[in-house]
């Protein structure tokens, strides 16, 4: 049988079977894409750091940097696999977006300005300021930021809700790994118990596709030690700054009177306000306007950091306690990078 490939035979094959050939090639490409998609590491909610920017702010995310640059500068740990930003610039759809994202357990931090309420000629409030507007509807999606650890309790008729305190949660987490010489938890001056840290790390990466071999786990354990040390330093710094009453601290915590229905009658009266700490005040960070600014400062000023705050969202990491505290290292980095004149590690 003459099976010799000739130019004529090759031409006839391509003339009649080119569709089949193209189809086979496309199927092979799709199969490879599907295969890589199935075996690739997918970021969980805790491994995704999500930044929201409320209306009325300019956020220069390119100036902030990429995930890789933030990790290199210890702003985020190596366990964060995805960095996402959401600009809520459209008033029309912001509530739709927030409701959808929060119900799905998304969100880590939100930049928002604590602007003044709008009032009519009679002195009655017609619109709440941005921070109070946000908290009036989404306070249950945020964490309390009282650095003293005091519980914040909201009462709605006969029911009550106790807000989780971000400082208390992080301190409790660190006390699982740092101990003094007598074996008592000491997150400030204690030594990292590497055995506990490694055991906890191995337990939470059991299904993580990045750690298939023991050699990879060994490298990961060393990074875990560094992550915990970095978190401890950031937490102590942030707590020290917000408790500093010198007036020159780069950070403070704002106390907000949040409009809410306290008696459960279905309406918010003028005297129904929940007093709580829900936002870090960033406006004293020297060069904050390099990454965040208000185009309208409310007093004729432009491109200012006046009253810019950051809230901590409950987010999906509530189910992944090891990933809940990246906001502390992120905030520590912002101060270090944009207020070096006020950065004083505690």
């Amino acid at each position: 049988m003459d099976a010799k490939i000739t130019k004529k035979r090759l031409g006839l094959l391509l003339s009649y079977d080119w569709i089949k050939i193209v189809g086979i090639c496309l199927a092979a490409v799709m199969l490879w894409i599907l295969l890589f998609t199935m075996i690739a590491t997918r970021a969980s909610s805790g491994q995704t750091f999500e930044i929201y920017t409320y209306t009325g702010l300019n956020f220069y995310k390119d100036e902030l940097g990429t995930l890789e640059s933030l990790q290199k500068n210890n702003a985020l740990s190596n366990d964060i696999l995805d960095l996402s930003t959401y600009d809520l610039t459209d008033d029309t759809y912001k509530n739709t977006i927030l409701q959808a994202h929060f119900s799905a357990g998304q969100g880590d931090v939100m930049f928002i300005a604590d602007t003044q309420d709008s009032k009519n000629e009679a002195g009655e409030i017609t619109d709440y300021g941005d921070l109070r507007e946000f908290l009036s509807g989404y306070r249950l999606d945020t964490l309390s930021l009282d650095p003293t650890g005091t519980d914040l309790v909201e009462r709605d008729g006969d029911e009550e809700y106790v807000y989780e305190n971000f400082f208390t949660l992080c301190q409790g987490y660190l006390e699982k790994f740092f101990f003094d010489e007598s074996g008592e938890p000491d997150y400030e001056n204690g030594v990292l118990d590497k055995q506990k840290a490694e055991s906890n790390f191995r337990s939470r990466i059991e299904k993580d596709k990045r750690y298939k071999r023991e050699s990879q786990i060994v490298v990961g354990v060393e990074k875990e030690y560094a992550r915990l040390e970095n978190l401890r330093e950031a937490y102590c710094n942030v707590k020290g700054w917000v408790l500093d009453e010198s007036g020159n601290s780069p950070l403070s915590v704002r106390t907000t009177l949040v409009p809410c229905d306290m008696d459960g009658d279905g309406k918010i009266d003028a005297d129904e306000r929940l007093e709580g700490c829900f936002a870090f005040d960033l406006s004293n960070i020297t060069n904050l306007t390099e990454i965040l600014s208000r185009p309208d400062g409310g007093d004729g000023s432009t491109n200012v950091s006046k009253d810019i705050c950051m809230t901590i969202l409950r987010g999906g990491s509530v189910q992944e306690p090891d990933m809940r505290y990246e906001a502390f290292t992120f905030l520590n980095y912002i101060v270090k990078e944009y207020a070096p004149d006020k950065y004083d590690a505690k």
Side-chain angles (χ1 to χ4, degrees), residues 275-289:
E275 183 175 342
C277 301
F278 291 101
F280 288 107
D281 185 347
L282 312 184
S283 56
N284 205 31
I285 295 178
T286 313
N287 301 313
L288 185 66
T289 54

Side-chain angles (χ1 to χ4, degrees), residues 162-180:
V162 180
Y163 288 83
E164 292 181 297
N165 186 294
F166 197 44
F167 285 94
T168 301
L169 289 171
C170 188
Q171 180 172 323
Y173 177 73
L174 290 172
E175 287 177 343
K176 292 167 53 178
F177 303 105
F178 292 93
F179 301 89
D180 62 19

Side-chain angles (χ1 to χ4, degrees), residues 234-249:
Y235 174 78
C236 290
N237 285 344
V238 172
K239 187 172 183 179
W241 287 323
V242 299
L243 290 175
D244 185 355
E245 298 180 352
S246 68
N248 192 47
S249 175

Side-chain angles (χ1 to χ4, degrees), residues 24 67 93 144 186 200 203 237 243 261 271 274 287 324-325 338:
I24 292 172
L67 173 59
Y93 297 105
S144 171
D186 183 359
N200 182 72
S203 176
N237 285 344
L243 290 175
D261 182 13
D271 60 344
L274 172 68
N287 301 313
R324 290 197 77 179
Y325 311 108
Y338 300 100

Side-chain angles (χ1 to χ4, degrees), residues 292-311:
L292 276 167
S293 71
R294 288 178 60 187
D296 177 10
D299 55 3
S301 58
T302 57
N303 193 38
V304 293
S305 61
K306 179 184 177 183
D307 298 320
I308 294 181
C309 299
M310 186 178 89
T311 63

Side-chain angles (χ1 to χ4, degrees), residues 83-95:
L83 175 66
S84 300
T85 59
Y86 300 93
D87 296 323
L88 304 172
T89 54
D90 191 334
D91 269 333
T92 306
Y93 297 105
K94 73 171 184 290
N95 285 320

